[in-house]
Amino acid sequence: MGEHYYQGNISKERYDRQLSIPGWGSEAQRRIAASRVGIAGAGGLGSPAALYLAAAGVGALVICDSHTVDISNLNRQILYSSADVGMEKTGLAQERLRGLNPEVEVERFQGRLKDENIDGIFADCDLILDCLDNLESRQMLNRYCWRTGKPLLHAGIREFYGELLLVDPPDTPCLACFLPESEKKKEGPPPVSGPVAGVLGSMQAVEALKFLGKIAPTGSMGRLLLVDLVSMSMDSVPISRRHGCPVCSPDSHINTGD
Ligand SMILES: [Zn+2]
């Protein structure tokens, strides 16, 4: 991990309430402070995930998004306010996160992630959060993570439902093992309740902190968590490597970086 992000002493006052959790403590906090996390998508999932990771003292965040704020974003994208409509999301996110915790380094990339630019954006990240809203970008991010051996924490939301999965190449199956190969014909943006984005984005932050700090087991490692906020229940199912998966099967042309 990038030890260079963190210089000086851990702020005991700022992190007081988390440092006393059994298994956390200053060693785990130092690991968190030495970590760099990529956040692909600064929307409904990326907003709570980035806010909690900055608040918890992750050393560096790299925020990527290609959009400006639209008024229809504001039912769930809690990084932004009504006065922000029309402005670039990553600039606003950077300012808000720096204000929340000046100890955290916040970098931004305003633009669409592509095969040609993704290496330069996420190269030094220890973990990347998939907070995206389309299959094509997810598949591309998955291929990149598999090729470079970077852990990828996926979340998805629709209506009152969500899913979460931590992929750790080459030990777990990859995202392409269970995501469909092509998107169904779109009939406008998917409906979603704001707090459902809040729950799943917050779950990404919890998993990320446990994983980076080596604080506690990560229940979503290789297991797909299915969150149902109608019945208020959660299930987890192990993911199997799909035979002939174009990304992670032994005969694929993409070799993991590990
Ligand atoms: Zn796969």
Side-chain angles (χ1 to χ4, degrees):
M1 290 195 179
E3 298 292 335
H4 51 289
Y5 303 117
Y6 180 65
Q7 289 161 354
N9 296 319
I10 297 283
S11 165
K12 287 237 161 56
E13 290 79 23
R14 182 181 288 271
Y15 308 118
D16 177 61
R17 297 292 293 276
Q18 66 199 41
L19 287 169
S20 52
I21 295 173
W24 202 306
S26 50
E27 274 310 300
Q29 189 63 40
R30 270 193 205 95
R31 285 192 282 270
I32 289 168
S35 303
R36 183 178 180 89
V37 176
I39 299 187
L45 293 164
S47 288
L51 283 164
Y52 278 121
L53 291 179
V58 165
L61 295 174
V62 184
I63 312 283
C64 299
D65 202 290
S66 62
H67 296 106
T68 55
V69 176
D70 184 88
I71 195 156
S72 68
N73 300 151
L74 298 180
N75 82 321
R76 64 197 184 285
Q77 301 188 11
I78 57 172
L79 272 170
Y80 317 112
S81 65
S82 298
D84 298 333
V85 170
M87 295 168 78
E88 288 188 348
K89 286 186 185 177
T90 61
L92 295 161
Q94 187 180 47
E95 198 181 322
R96 174 86 193 275
L97 296 166
R98 282 177 173 166
L100 172 60
N101 190 349
E103 294 179 10
V104 175
E105 191 180 309
V106 184
E107 291 175 23
R108 70 181 187 113
F109 173 75
Q110 180 76 32
R112 200 171 167 85
L113 287 172
K114 295 178 190 157
D115 284 313
E116 303 82 64
N117 63 19
I118 193 166
D119 249 323
I121 297 164
F122 290 138
D124 297 324
C125 289
D126 303 295
L127 172 71
I128 301 174
L129 270 52
D130 165 15
C131 303
L132 296 163
D133 61 357
N134 70 88
L135 186 64
E136 193 190 339
S137 301
R138 285 201 157 104
Q139 300 282 25
M140 194 263 294
L141 183 60
N142 177 57
R143 286 193 302 275
Y144 169 72
C145 286
W146 198 264
R147 177 165 60 77
T148 55
K150 289 193 193 307
L152 171 62
L153 181 51
H154 158 77
I157 43 173
R158 190 181 177 93
E159 299 174 13
F160 289 105
Y161 306 96
E163 64 185 31
L164 192 78
L165 174 70
L166 179 55
V167 171
D168 194 9
D171 300 331
T172 66
C174 83
L175 268 192
C177 286
F178 86 99
L179 286 178
E181 283 183 16
S182 62
E183 209 145 24
K184 281 186 215 149
K185 196 167 172 283
K186 277 198 173 168
E187 295 150 14
V192 65
S193 157
V196 174
V199 169
L200 271 297
S202 301
M203 287 174 76
Q204 282 181 295
V206 175
E207 284 295 76
L209 291 170
K210 287 187 297 175
F211 180 76
L212 296 166
K214 301 185 175 31
I215 294 163
T218 42
S220 67
M221 175 76 80
R223 293 184 72 89
L224 182 66
L225 254 63
L226 299 164
V227 181
D228 177 342
L229 294 173
V230 175
S231 63
M232 288 292 169
S233 63
M234 198 156 81
D235 251 329
S236 90
V237 291
I239 295 294
S240 312
R241 207 174 293 280
R242 180 157 60 93
H243 181 70
C245 173
V247 179
C248 76
S249 68
D251 51 349
S252 108
H253 298 297
I254 302 173
N255 296 312
T256 173
D258 271 14

